[in-house]
Amino acid sequence: MTLIAIIGAFWFDVPIRGNLFLLYLAAVLYLMTMLGIGLLISTVSQTQQQAMMGTFLFFFPAMLLSGFAFPIANMPRVVQWITYVDPLRYFLVIIRGVFLKGIGLDILWPQMLALGVMGVVMLGLAVLRFHKTL
């Protein structure tokens, strides 16, 4: 993440206006959530091919529904509701807020809270599922 931030700031002249500590904290929460999802997929799968297909079936739609490629406001209302379970949606709001707008935790706390809750739930489910497979 540090390398991407440096490239963005110096090569593409994207200013970093916010607190980098907040960006790293958000990255830790996002990684915790995504690791939980990955572990949950791996505990549900019985073969490597199933795990790869499950990963593809989760991450590809998650990328499309995150607001990265298409604005969430332009999506149909039903699809907009589905995006609330996508961790990347919240992380992108945090990245844009910290990098471009310089906003802090006082405004970004709902996104941070959502990532934290999702991370705890996903890791908890993965741990429970892992214990059942032993």
Side-chain angles (χ1 to χ4, degrees):
M1 191 183 91
T2 302
L3 179 63
I4 297 299
I6 290 171
I7 289 172
F10 293 112
W11 189 321
F12 295 108
D13 293 324
V14 177
I16 303 174
R17 299 195 170 159
N19 186 353
L20 284 178
F21 176 74
L22 182 64
L23 189 62
Y24 281 109
L25 179 63
V28 166
L29 292 173
Y30 176 72
L31 287 175
M32 179 179 70
T33 305
M34 297 311 285
L35 283 172
I37 292 170
L39 287 171
L40 187 62
I41 290 172
S42 71
T43 59
V44 171
S45 305
Q46 295 176 355
T47 65
Q48 183 180 5
Q49 288 176 332
Q50 285 178 349
M52 289 173 57
M53 185 58 70
T55 302
F56 176 78
L57 290 175
F58 175 79
F59 287 112
F60 186 67
M63 180 66 79
L64 289 175
L65 296 177
S66 67
F68 178 72
F70 312 104
I72 294 174
N74 293 349
M75 296 178 189
R77 182 68 60 192
V78 174
V79 177
Q80 288 181 15
W81 283 98
I82 294 171
T83 64
Y84 284 110
V85 296
D86 186 4
L88 187 55
R89 170 197 170 119
Y90 302 105
F91 189 54
L92 286 175
V93 170
I94 295 169
I95 289 174
R96 288 177 185 137
V98 170
F99 257 86
L100 302 176
K101 300 174 187 174
I103 57 180
L105 189 61
D106 54 333
I107 296 174
L108 294 174
W109 71 266
Q111 286 79 21
M112 301 283 274
L113 181 64
L115 282 176
V117 168
M118 286 177 151
V120 168
V121 167
M122 288 298 133
L123 278 176
L125 288 174
V127 166
L128 288 174
R129 176 72 184 151
F130 184 72
H131 286 299
K132 288 183 180 179
T133 58
L134 288 178

